[in-house]
Amino acid sequence: MSYIIDRRLNSKKKSMVNRQRFLRRYRNHIKKAVAKAVDKRSIMDMEKGEKISIPSKDINEPIFHHGDGGTNTRVLPGNDQFIAGDQIQRPQGGGGQGGGSGQNASDSGEGEDDFIFQITQEEFLDFMFEDLELPNLVKRQLSGTEDFEFRRAGFSNQGSPGKINVIRSMRSAKSRRIALTGPKKKQIRQLEEELSALEDDEKDPTEKRAELEQKIKKLKAQIHKIPWLDDFDLKYNLHVKQPIPHSRAVMFCIMDVSGSMDQATKDIAKRFFLLLYMFLNRNYEKTEVVFIRHHTSAKEVDEQEFFYSRETGGTIVSSALKLMDEVLQERYPISEWNIYAAQASDGDNWNDDSTICYRLLTEKILPKLQYFSYLEITNRDHQALWHAYAQIQNDFPEAFSMRQLVDAKDIFPVFRELFQKKTP
């Protein structure tokens, strides 16, 4: 079998097939590199591409060659400096002069080769959000006149030449010809039988024979005039335009911006929400995001204010949950929308407010939601809000998840864990 390898450069996507094959082959290396890059990047650099480095030991392709197996006796040329059994010391540095080792080779041989390639922004995002989904996305709704598709709806007697159905048209033409010519052919067969009977008659029925032949000729002429294909026979494939139902989803992003949230904690929360925002924009078309910031009071804000406002204050988490419930009742009926929420906080909350949060979530909000995820960003012991939410996780294991983030390295693994695609 022969293989053709396109080694042209990737300008204008001429070698896209080879590039896709290469990305599939080194998929695990790229996914690890993307995970490392997400942990190190700032908020503004999330959407850029990334340089991927692959260890040299993983680039080599397997080959067939003669090995040193078995017992061999060799006669080699020698001189007065070496005798049988002498060993040549391996050069320092691990690779020798002609081995082609990279400059970053280590003593253990686990160093990385200089083979580095750049993945694009699209490829970076593909690997970053691979195998992720919004849990329990089930509600589908006809959203109006945005998207349509044409579906087959039988056959029609009118249409464009491009949609003519040849088989149906030929079947109709043959049926018409059978219906119109059947009685005449029956008469012809009867006349031919009479004509055949006259041939056995001893009398000379010349006039009678001529009359029968004239009738047969007339009937055949009438049959011949019936068109082989008539306009009535033409059938066309009929397609009707139908709207496409879509799954619509809304994500509530709730961020604690109280005074206990220092800048580093807020930055971790913002990076998580930015990751979530990019995931929704890239993977879902009909998704809306509602941004809610809260300290002692909650406010629905736009994207700019959510990520860059410096307003702060005390902490009453229930204010954000009450506002979320109000927005749900006003704008997002549960019969039409898949509703999600993600909340980030350091867990610090006003006295007894965690109990109110428990009642709000269990009695009003969670029965309407598909999925609620809570992130506690702290390196301290869990606060009262965590303990109240732990009870909710036990009561609603399918619709509620909670995780702890200690530093920025935990963001991407926790994000993948929360939105990992579940196999049915």
Side-chain angles (χ1 to χ4, degrees):
M1 181 180 294
S2 300
Y3 294 94
I4 299 176
I5 300 176
D6 185 359
R7 298 189 185 281
R8 291 175 296 181
L9 298 178
N10 198 31
S11 61
K12 299 181 181 179
K13 299 182 179 180
K14 290 181 178 179
S15 60
M16 184 55 68
V17 176
N18 286 343
R19 183 173 181 83
Q20 293 298 327
R21 186 185 298 118
F22 178 83
L23 293 178
R24 287 197 299 271
R25 180 175 181 180
Y26 296 103
R27 183 184 200 85
N28 293 332
H29 293 288
I30 298 173
K31 290 180 69 173
K32 291 179 182 177
V34 169
K36 291 181 180 177
V38 173
D39 295 337
K40 297 176 182 177
R41 290 185 175 193
S42 64
I43 294 176
M44 303 301 295
D45 296 333
M46 274 293 186
E47 296 186 3
K48 293 182 179 179
E50 178 63 22
K51 288 183 177 180
I52 304 298
S53 177
I54 299 178
S56 59
K57 62 185 178 62
D58 294 332
I59 298 177
N60 297 330
E61 296 182 355
I63 59 173
F64 290 100
H65 60 92
H66 294 288
D68 296 329
T71 302
N72 301 307
T73 301
R74 299 179 180 179
V75 178
L76 303 175
N79 52 37
D80 56 357
Q81 298 179 359
F82 299 98
I83 61 176
D86 284 350
Q87 294 183 352
I88 301 176
Q89 187 177 4
R90 183 183 295 274
Q92 298 295 326
Q97 298 297 324
S101 65
Q103 295 179 355
N104 298 327
S106 65
D107 296 338
S108 61
E110 296 295 333
E112 293 183 346
D113 192 82
D114 290 333
F115 180 73
I116 297 175
F117 68 99
Q118 181 83 21
I119 60 174
T120 64
Q121 173 190 356
E122 292 294 322
E123 292 166 347
F124 181 82
L125 295 177
D126 285 341
F127 280 102
M128 191 161 67
F129 298 129
E130 188 180 46
D131 300 329
L132 300 181
E133 67 174 5
L134 286 175
N136 308 324
L137 188 68
V138 291
K139 298 175 185 174
R140 294 170 66 84
Q141 181 75 17
L142 289 174
S143 57
T145 58
E146 290 90 355
D147 296 315
F148 293 91
E149 66 177 356
F150 286 93
R151 293 182 179 177
R152 296 193 61 176
F155 305 95
S156 173
N157 291 327
Q158 296 179 345
S160 62
K163 292 187 177 181
I164 190 170
N165 189 302
V166 178
I167 296 177
R168 286 274 176 175
S169 299
M170 294 299 102
R171 186 180 299 170
S172 176
K174 188 174 183 178
S175 300
R176 177 181 53 80
R177 291 199 305 272
I178 291 174
L180 295 178
T181 61
K184 293 182 175 59
K185 288 182 178 179
K186 184 177 180 181
Q187 293 180 23
I188 291 174
R189 286 195 297 272
Q190 293 175 351
L191 294 173
E192 287 176 345
E193 291 176 357
E194 292 180 16
L195 186 62
S196 177
L198 290 177
E199 292 178 355
D200 299 334
D201 195 347
E202 295 179 354
K203 297 180 180 178
D204 184 11
T206 305
E207 294 181 0
K208 182 65 173 177
R209 184 182 296 110
E211 182 183 357
L212 292 176
E213 290 176 349
Q214 186 63 27
K215 288 182 179 178
I216 293 173
K217 184 178 179 181
K218 185 179 180 180
L219 290 172
K220 288 185 177 179
Q222 291 176 352
I223 293 175
H224 186 70
K225 288 181 180 179
I226 296 175
W228 185 76
L229 184 67
D230 194 81
D231 292 342
F232 175 79
D233 303 325
L234 295 179
K235 305 296 179 186
Y236 301 87
N237 294 322
L238 179 61
H239 293 82
V240 295
K241 191 177 181 181
Q242 293 185 349
I244 303 175
H246 288 283
S247 295
R248 295 195 297 179
V250 56
M251 173 66 74
F252 285 83
C253 296
I254 304 172
M255 182 166 62
D256 182 359
V257 293
S258 61
S260 61
M261 295 275 288
D262 57 21
Q263 191 57 42
T265 306
K266 289 180 182 177
D267 184 61
I268 293 175
K270 291 177 182 178
R271 290 176 65 173
F272 177 84
F273 284 120
L274 180 62
L275 204 60
L276 178 60
Y277 186 56
M278 291 166 52
F279 166 66
L280 296 175
N281 282 341
R282 181 170 183 80
N283 290 28
Y284 298 94
E285 295 180 356
K286 308 295 180 183
T287 304
E288 294 187 9
V289 181
V290 178
F291 295 106
I292 296 177
R293 289 167 58 96
H294 78 88
H295 36 81
T296 53
S297 62
K299 182 171 64 173
E300 182 182 354
V301 296
D302 58 15
E303 176 185 344
Q304 181 71 21
E305 187 174 354
F306 183 80
F307 285 106
Y308 300 106
S309 176
R310 303 179 65 85
E311 181 182 352
T312 185
T315 309
I316 298 181
V317 178
S318 61
S319 62
L321 300 180
K322 291 177 182 176
L323 177 60
M324 176 184 169
D325 187 48
E326 294 173 2
V327 174
L328 275 177
Q329 295 180 20
E330 292 176 1
R331 309 205 306 254
Y332 300 103
I334 59 176
S335 60
E336 300 178 7
W337 289 85
N338 294 278
I339 304 170
Y340 297 86
Q343 179 185 7
S345 171
D346 62 346
D348 189 16
N349 197 10
W350 192 256
N351 293 336
D352 299 330
D353 188 60
S354 299
T355 306
I356 300 175
C357 293
Y358 174 84
R359 289 203 302 268
L360 282 172
L361 278 175
T362 55
E363 297 175 3
K364 293 187 175 182
I365 297 180
L366 277 179
K368 305 173 184 175
L369 259 59
Q370 309 299 119
Y371 189 67
F372 190 104
S373 57
Y374 170 67
L375 299 173
E376 186 171 277
I377 310 171
T378 181
N379 54 5
R380 302 172 298 171
D381 294 336
H382 296 307
Q383 305 295 311
L385 187 61
W386 175 277
H387 296 299
Y389 280 0
Q391 183 61 40
I392 298 176
Q393 189 176 31
N394 292 331
D395 297 338
F396 301 88
E398 296 295 329
F400 189 92
S401 293
M402 55 191 297
R403 298 290 186 278
Q404 182 182 8
L405 294 179
V406 176
D407 53 35
K409 292 189 297 185
D410 299 332
I411 295 176
F412 192 58
V414 167
F415 182 83
R416 292 193 62 87
E417 187 178 356
L418 289 174
F419 296 98
Q420 185 68 39
K421 184 180 294 184
K422 297 180 180 177
T423 56

